Amino acid sequence: MKLERVVALSGGVGGGRFLDGLARELPSAALTAIVNTGDDFEHLGLYVCPDLDTVMYTLAAVGDELRGWGLAGETFAAMAMLRQYGGPDWFHLGDRDLATHLLRTAELRRGESLSAITTRLCGALGIAVRVLPMTDAPCRTLVETVDEGTLTFQDWLVRRGARPAVRGIRWDARPPPAEGVLEAIGAADLVLIAPSNPYVSIDPILGLDGVRAALAAKPVVAVSPIVHGRAVKGPLATMIPALAGVAPSAAAIARHYGALLRGIVVERGDERQIEGVAVYATDTVMRSRADRQRLARETLAFAAELLG
Ligand code: FO1
């Protein structure tokens, strides 16, 4: 089956890399990215959207490949001055990255929607892929910790280094999906779930009104973010035992998404214990641009095979 319209649900770092591969494998008009905004927060009076920015910078090939977030060749002179004043320096905002937060915050204050601002920023960066925030209204991920109450996501992940043990994840609102999200899913030949953290990057999207129902009518294929029991990046490997009570594995990812999935792409050797869903095993760690493109190509071919 020819895949003319593909929608990908994505978080930040792993998702951005996978989207980059998809953008090189598909005509740009064929791909819509629906990006998590549960990580968004106000910091120093700025409205920061880490996953949108990571996806945007990655697609525009201007992101810092090593860190996985922020801009390449970044300087932090503003942060150094802030530190001198004793301001909060736990969240590192690069000097050029600040332009994104300044403009987005100013536009939001003028009443522009996050979607419209995202379209403008992506256009300015020459990104042809359609990038949609999952919603235009705040929908903050809150981390229920065992010993320290409820922490906002960036507070938990960055300021506390994801150390406080987690007992639950919830959101401070349940806004409608952004304009175009349900339509994109409704028109899709295929929906892909990028190798992002299911709990804090994909579940925020699935939790929005109408999204699960829209996906139920579609073929959905996920790429496992767990490789041989470990997360490629981030706290997922400790969140799975904490939230699902099982050891981290591709099977745990497949079980988390359940009946939503038609297929799952996993690392070679991780096919064990995955039932009720088609499995494709390959090299899933994206170390290079070529890796991203190959994983995207193999995932699309696997999905096309499933769709017959
Ligand atoms: N992650 C960190 O671990 N430390 C940081 O100082 C940091 C700053 C930062 C600034 C802008 C941005 O878009 C992302 C940033 N991130 C930082 C990453 C971010 O916290 C996570 O990547 C996402 O929220 C999880 O996907």
Side-chain angles (χ1 to χ4, degrees):
M1 170 180 188
K2 184 122 181 53
L3 297 171
E4 315 249 321
R5 284 186 296 270
V6 176
V7 164
L9 310 184
S10 177
V13 183
R17 290 174 177 156
F18 184 60
L19 286 171
D20 190 36
L22 285 172
R24 293 164 195 284
E25 277 302 301
L26 290 164
S28 46
L31 179 60
T32 298
I34 297 173
V35 180
N36 170 47
T37 58
D39 297 8
D40 297 3
F41 74 129
E42 296 250 349
H43 186 58
L44 292 161
L46 296 171
Y47 195 81
V48 179
C49 305
D51 282 355
L52 277 173
D53 293 348
T54 299
V55 164
M56 202 166 66
Y57 293 161
T58 304
L59 286 174
V62 294
D64 183 293
E65 297 289 330
L66 210 63
R67 270 199 307 260
W69 48 265
L71 287 162
E74 186 62 283
T75 53
F76 293 86
M79 283 305 294
M81 195 67 195
L82 188 74
R83 201 167 294 127
Q84 193 172 344
Y85 288 133
D89 63 350
W90 57 273
F91 196 78
H92 304 155
L93 292 168
D95 296 322
R96 293 163 55 234
D97 190 34
L98 277 170
T100 307
H101 313 310
L102 288 168
L103 186 62
R104 176 184 285 125
T105 304
E107 291 293 276
L108 284 170
R109 230 169 250 150
R110 267 181 356 100
E112 273 292 356
S113 69
L114 186 57
S115 298
I117 297 162
T118 302
T119 301
R120 173 182 172 180
L121 296 177
C122 286
L125 288 175
I127 295 168
V129 169
R130 193 168 171 227
V131 177
L132 295 177
M134 69 181 199
T135 176
D136 276 330
C139 177
R140 311 256 164 95
T141 299
L142 298 172
V143 181
E144 302 280 1
T145 68
V146 173
D147 307 311
E148 303 187 34
T150 302
L151 299 177
T152 58
F153 181 73
Q154 296 299 341
D155 207 32
W156 173 74
L157 178 78
V158 179
R159 199 171 66 79
R160 305 301 315 280
R163 278 182 298 275
V166 178
R167 62 178 173 76
I169 301 286
R170 63 184 172 84
W171 289 273
D172 67 355
R174 191 187 169 92
E179 186 73 32
V181 164
L182 294 182
E183 292 78 1
I185 295 172
D189 302 315
L190 168 68
V191 177
L192 296 173
I193 298 180
S196 300
N197 185 314
Y199 303 106
V200 293
S201 295
I202 303 298
D203 281 355
I205 304 172
L206 300 180
L208 296 173
D209 283 348
V211 170
R212 279 187 181 276
L215 291 174
K218 293 291 163 180
V220 179
V221 171
V223 178
S224 171
I226 290 284
V227 172
H228 300 332
R230 292 179 37 255
V232 177
K233 181 171 174 51
L236 181 54
T238 53
M239 293 179 84
I240 294 177
L243 295 171
V246 294
S249 69
I253 300 297
R255 233 188 332 270
H256 180 78
Y257 291 128
L260 198 62
L261 290 191
R262 181 80 67 84
I264 185 166
V265 177
V266 302
E267 185 65 19
R268 283 190 221 292
D270 282 353
E271 306 91 318
R272 275 190 315 283
Q273 289 145 12
I274 299 178
E275 305 109 22
V277 65
V279 185
Y280 179 84
T282 185
D283 300 328
T284 58
V285 180
M286 297 174 276
R287 293 183 184 79
S288 66
R289 178 141 288 143
D291 283 349
R292 299 174 187 181
Q293 203 163 334
R294 178 185 46 72
L295 180 60
R297 184 167 54 249
E298 292 184 18
T299 301
L300 290 167
F302 168 55
E305 182 76 23
L306 285 180
L307 299 181

